[in-house]
Amino acid sequence: MQTLVSQLTTTFVDDAIELVKGFGKVIVHVATAPIERIANACDVGGVLARRQSARRQRATPYRARGLRKLSPFASLHHLT
């Protein structure tokens, strides 16, 4: 049986981890936004939009999605 102190500690630690993850996502989004804007502006033939729609139609395994999220530039993989 957990004590109140251990429950509060684990809850605080879990919340702190999620807060850091949220800030990380915001920082990555701010850092990659100019690159995304340039890529979308240069996409004359609509290649990026077609790739994104084709990617959405394919089912990605849960584990692969989780591993892809670890990279800060995972959202830019369609540019290569």
Side-chain angles (χ1 to χ4, degrees):
M1 191 166 165
Q2 291 183 337
T3 63
L4 181 62
V5 174
S6 66
Q7 284 180 330
L8 288 173
T9 304
T10 55
T11 302
F12 178 77
V13 169
D14 291 341
D15 289 345
I17 290 171
E18 292 301 318
L19 183 67
V20 169
K21 285 181 185 179
F23 280 134
K25 286 181 183 180
V26 168
I27 290 171
V28 168
H29 178 67
V30 168
T32 58
I35 299 170
E36 287 284 340
R37 239 185 341 264
I38 292 170
N40 288 331
C42 294
D43 185 26
V44 187
V47 175
L48 295 178
R50 276 186 273 151
R51 283 187 184 177
Q52 288 174 352
S53 66
R55 190 172 5 124
R56 286 184 191 128
Q57 290 176 353
R58 285 182 277 146
T60 308
Y62 178 74
R63 184 172 181 179
R65 281 191 309 239
L67 294 175
R68 192 180 306 148
K69 289 181 182 179
L70 295 176
S71 173
F73 300 107
S75 63
L76 303 175
H77 72 280
H78 59 274
L79 299 176
T80 57

